[in-house]
């Protein structure tokens, strides 16, 4: 039981999957007003006053049912579940000193948070869950995985109390029940990585208290309904089969910090009303079929740190120089494979916090803006597979800093100026030569393969290494995501 109390202190359960590009960043908040302190506190009082508080008998029977349905029959040997507590159950006394179950969690989330695990081949969610009228948090992680079943519609009956519903990675099938829209007190709804299909129910719009909605990694199809949530911080719909355009109603979610609708089949332009998302930090609309032009109002997203729109070949537009004007905090810009034309705006080189720029696989022409030479934090730059010409505006330090994360191959005629001191530092691959700029015309360089060397003489290999495939997962540094996570944690916690 000692182990229990340490977990009980963890009021916030933060799931942070920092895979390349941080595709799944989810914050789950079981309950900010966690009762654990209360229950842990008076435990001495408990033993002293042995006839005092006890668990509501109907709830106790219900919990036995729920535990049996997940293969945790051992729990039925515990005579008073709120006293013989395990990691994964939380109780709270009422004014008559009767304990009620307020939180139930299942699944081995990490070594520190060992909730009861489930028999994944047989487990189900018992209907007895509806007999827990004070339940605020229900958390199932990798629990029902090998017993494909739909989300039970009876969960909708927990509307009076439920604030957090997490059913991550449980192999759940079928549609999201309309009844979940009855959970009007919900703050967190997380159905990440199941096999859910059908369309997103419009009834979810009734959950006006929602802070985090994660439906990513399913097979949801159809149009995104006209939803708007005044308090929503996180909306993650990535990796589904959603079609149609981005609903303008979603632009009425002024609290959104993270919006991820990448890897769907969305079409049409990005709405100008996107400027309504004034607190947005991360916007990912990558790998869809969105159309140009890029809305000028993007520049009003002053908090934005990561903008990812790559893999929308239907974009086929130019980059308006004005869009970078307000994006002062931008750290990551991913616009690869968008069929972008015209020049790279000089204004991009004025984003002093930028660390990652991917503009590869477009039809950008003109030269690399000289302002790029002043981007002191830039650690990753991909400009390969474009139509760029002219001198590379970097000094040796910058080239060395980026090393192989500087990609310039397959352009129309990039070259280096002998005065830049780059010389042998700018390596090339055999099929794309970056030679010395000629004074008369750029890009007519001698065929020479050069390699970049580190200070200690280790060869780094050709800079212009051809990218392996069309779909490149841009590697966004974890530091940024961690920073974002901290921010989210704060934002969600204070509510
Ligand atoms: C719950 O939701 C369903 C479908 O959205 C609805 O028909 C039903 O009346 C709701 N029940 C309650 C108790 O609100
Ligand atoms: C959802 O998946 C089930 C199989 O799990 C299938 O029978 C059903 O037709 C699918 N529904 C939709 C709308 O794709
Ligand atoms: C760049 O491309 C645009 C259209 O894609 C064209 O109008 C313009 O002349 C090109 N500029 C240069 C310098 O090649
Ligand atoms: C060079 O880049 C263009 C896109 O700008 C692409 O279509 C072409 O296949 C690339 N060539 C090679 C050899 O990779």
């Amino acid at each position: 039981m000692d182990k229990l109390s340490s977990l009980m202190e963890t009021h916030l359960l933060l799931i942070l999957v920092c895979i390349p590009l941080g595709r799944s960043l989810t914050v789950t908040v079981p309950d900010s007003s966690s009762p654990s302190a209360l229950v842990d506190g008076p435990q001495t009082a408990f033993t002293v006053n042995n006839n005092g508080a006890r668990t509501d008998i109907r709830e106790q029977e219900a919990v036995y049912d729920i535990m049996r349905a997940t293969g945790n029959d051992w729990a039925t040997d515990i005579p008073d579940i709120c006293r013989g507590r395990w990691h994964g159950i939380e109780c709270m006394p009422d004014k008559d000193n009767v304990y009620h179950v307020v939180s139930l969690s299942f699944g081995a989330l990490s070594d520190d948070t060992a909730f009861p695990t489930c028999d994944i081949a047989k487990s189900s969610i018992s209907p007895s869950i509806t007999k827990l009228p004070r339940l605020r948090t229900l958390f199932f992680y990798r629990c029902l995985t090998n017993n494909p079943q739909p989300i039970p519609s009876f969960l909708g009956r927990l509307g009076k109390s439920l604030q957090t519903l997490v059913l991550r990675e449980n192999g759940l099938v079928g549609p999201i029940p309309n009844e979940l829209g009855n959970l009007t007190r919900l703050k967190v709804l997380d159905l990440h990585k199941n096999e859910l299909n059908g369309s997103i129910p419009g009834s979810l719009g009734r959950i006006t208290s929602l802070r985090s909605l994660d439906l990513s990694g399913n097979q949801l199809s159809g149009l995104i309904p006209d939803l708007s949530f005044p308090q929503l911080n996180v909306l993650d719909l990535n990796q589904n089969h959603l079609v149609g355009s981005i609903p303008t109603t979603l632009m009425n979610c002024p609290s959104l910090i993270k919006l991820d609708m990448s890897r769907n089949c969305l079409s049409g332009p990005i709405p100008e009303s996107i400027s309504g998302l004034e607190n947005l930090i991360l916007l990912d609309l990558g790998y869809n079929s969105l159309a140009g032009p890029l809305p000028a109002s993007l520049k009003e997203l002053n908090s934005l740190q990561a903008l990812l729109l790559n893999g929308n070949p239907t974009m086929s537009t130019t980059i308006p120089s004005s869009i970078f004007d307000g994006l002062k905090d931008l750290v990551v810009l991913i616009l690869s494979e968008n069929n972008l034309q015209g020049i790279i705006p000089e204004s991009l080189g004025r984003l002093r916090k930028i660390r990652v720029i991917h503009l590869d696989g477009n039809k950008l022409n003109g030269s690399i803006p000289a302002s790029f030479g002043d981007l002191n934090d830039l650690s990753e730059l991909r400009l390969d597979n474009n139509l760029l010409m002219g001198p590379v505006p970097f000094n040796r330090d910058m080239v060395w800093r980026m090393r192989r994360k500087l990609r310039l191959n397959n352009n129309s005629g990039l070259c280096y100026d002998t005065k830049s001191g780059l010389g042998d530092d700018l390596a090339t691959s055999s099929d794309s030569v970056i030679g010395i700029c000629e004074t008369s015309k750029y890009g007519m360089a001698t065929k020479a393969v050069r390699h970049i060397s580190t200070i200690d003489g280790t060869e780094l290999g050709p800079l212009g290494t051809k990218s392996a495939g069309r779909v490149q997962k841009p590697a966004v540094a974890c530091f940024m995501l961690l920073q974002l996570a901290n921010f989210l944690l704060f934002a969600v916690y204070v509510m």
Side-chain angles (χ1 to χ4, degrees):
M1 283 299 138
D2 285 4
K3 273 201 257 165
L4 294 191
S5 31
S6 64
L7 173 80
M8 291 303 180
E9 281 155 30
T10 322
H11 298 186
L12 280 174
L13 185 58
L14 178 81
I15 307 171
L16 210 183
V17 191
C18 199
I19 56 172
L21 242 222
R23 294 244 156 242
S24 19
L25 175 77
T26 301
V27 180
T28 58
V29 189
D31 205 336
S32 58
S33 57
S34 167
S36 55
L38 263 173
V39 178
D40 280 340
Q43 226 140 37
T44 24
F46 248 165
T47 14
V48 173
N49 178 12
N50 226 4
N51 302 323
R54 56 162 302 124
T55 307
D56 180 286
I57 195 72
R58 284 152 304 179
E59 295 190 24
Q60 167 127 329
E61 290 301 325
V63 170
Y64 288 160
D65 288 346
I66 296 158
M67 296 303 279
R68 271 190 223 104
T70 55
N72 287 294
D73 299 54
W74 53 266
T76 58
D77 292 336
I78 298 176
D80 190 333
I81 51 161
C82 287
R83 282 204 240 182
R85 288 180 300 126
W86 57 88
H87 269 202
I89 184 168
E90 289 180 29
C91 301
M92 208 174 184
D94 62 19
K95 59 179 184 349
D96 299 322
N97 227 11
V98 175
Y99 274 75
H100 300 277
V101 179
V102 296
S103 172
L104 279 178
S105 303
F106 296 87
L109 191 64
S110 72
D111 290 347
D112 308 338
T113 50
F115 300 136
T117 51
C118 307
D119 180 347
I120 56 168
K122 291 198 207 126
S123 289
S124 63
I125 303 178
S126 165
S128 293
I129 208 104
T130 58
K131 296 176 189 159
L132 302 176
R134 316 261 177 128
L135 195 69
R136 294 187 194 163
T137 298
L138 185 59
F139 183 99
F140 280 87
Y141 172 68
R142 293 189 184 171
C143 187
L144 322 164
T145 326
N146 292 359
N147 184 21
Q149 57 197 286
I151 296 177
S153 56
F154 57 70
L155 291 180
R157 286 192 243 151
L158 295 168
K160 284 211 172 64
S161 60
L162 205 64
Q163 297 182 6
T164 299
L165 178 59
V166 176
L167 301 172
R168 275 177 93 86
E169 301 186 36
N170 282 300
L172 294 161
V173 297
I176 298 174
N178 285 329
E179 284 80 0
L180 292 196
N182 292 349
L183 298 173
T184 50
R185 302 211 171 158
L186 221 48
K187 292 182 180 174
V188 175
L189 178 57
D190 182 347
L191 306 176
H192 170 74
K193 217 171 172 190
N194 284 288
E195 309 284 329
L196 300 168
N197 66 6
S199 49
I200 299 174
S203 66
L204 296 188
R206 296 178 51 207
I207 315 177
T208 49
S209 52
L210 216 50
R211 262 67 159 184
S212 176
L213 177 59
D214 187 345
L215 306 178
S216 61
N218 283 290
Q219 284 140 37
L220 299 170
S221 56
L223 302 171
I224 301 174
D226 288 339
L227 300 171
S228 70
F229 302 97
Q231 306 185 69
L232 197 68
N233 295 135
V234 174
L235 178 59
D236 196 340
L237 302 178
N238 100 70
Q239 283 198 33
N240 278 291
H241 309 302
L242 300 165
V243 298
S245 50
I246 300 171
T248 49
T249 51
L250 278 182
M251 306 305 145
N252 299 328
C253 299
S255 306
L256 264 188
I257 293 169
K258 172 185 169 177
L259 176 58
D260 187 346
M261 302 205 268
S262 62
R263 293 172 200 271
N264 279 288
C265 314
L266 301 173
S267 55
I270 301 170
E272 277 287 347
S273 52
I274 195 148
S275 53
L277 305 179
E278 53 195 27
N279 293 303
L280 209 57
I281 292 180
L282 187 151
L283 175 62
D284 191 346
L285 301 174
Y287 302 109
N288 280 292
S289 298
L290 296 169
L294 289 168
S297 62
L298 271 176
K299 67 167 181 285
E300 285 160 48
L301 301 180
N302 300 324
S303 306
L304 206 61
Q305 291 185 22
L307 175 59
L308 303 94
L309 301 176
N310 53 313
N312 285 284
T314 40
M315 195 76 80
S316 190
T317 185
T318 54
I319 310 177
S321 69
S322 64
I323 69 166
F324 299 116
D325 289 350
L327 305 183
K328 302 246 179 306
D329 289 333
L330 204 66
V331 178
V332 175
L333 176 69
I334 311 286
L335 296 176
S336 318
E337 315 278 351
N338 279 340
N339 215 347
L340 298 172
Q341 292 130 32
I343 59 158
I344 302 174
E346 183 86 25
S347 55
L348 178 52
R350 290 196 289 269
L351 302 182
R352 286 314 157 86
K353 292 185 183 164
I354 200 113
R355 287 172 189 249
V356 177
I357 300 177
H358 292 185
L359 297 174
D360 52 294
N362 285 297
K363 290 180 183 152
L364 297 168
N365 64 9
S367 56
I368 305 176
S371 56
F372 274 37
D374 302 328
L375 294 175
N376 292 325
D377 287 335
L378 194 61
S379 58
E380 192 168 320
L381 176 63
R382 293 188 192 167
L383 298 174
D384 49 301
N385 301 321
N386 276 295
L387 306 170
L388 300 168
M389 299 170 75
V392 175
F394 308 129
N395 59 27
R396 299 182 69 155
D397 284 351
M398 201 157 171
V399 171
W400 284 7
R401 192 173 63 233
M402 290 193 271
R403 300 185 182 198
R404 265 178 269 186
K405 289 181 176 167
L406 173 61
R407 295 196 190 165
L408 300 174
N409 61 295
N410 187 19
N411 273 291
S412 300
L414 289 175
C415 59
Y416 68 88
D417 203 322
T418 41
K419 277 181 257 154
S420 68
L422 277 178
D424 284 349
D425 299 302
L426 250 200
T428 67
S429 68
S430 49
D431 65 339
S432 64
V433 175
I434 299 179
I436 301 169
C437 299
E438 289 185 357
T439 35
S440 51
K441 46 186 172 174
Y442 290 138
M444 300 296 291
T446 44
K447 278 244 168 210
V449 178
R450 294 190 177 85
H451 290 77
I452 211 168
S453 300
T454 55
I455 297 157
D456 61 7
T458 334
E459 192 155 272
L460 287 174
L463 251 191
T465 317
K466 272 174 73 178
S467 35
R470 223 176 74 75
V471 180
Q472 294 267 347
K473 263 195 182 167
V476 169
C478 281
F479 68 86
M480 196 218 60
L481 290 158
L482 284 168
Q483 202 183 339
L484 177 60
N486 285 339
F487 182 78
L488 288 176
L489 189 67
F490 173 73
V492 180
Y493 197 41
V494 292
M495 289 177 307

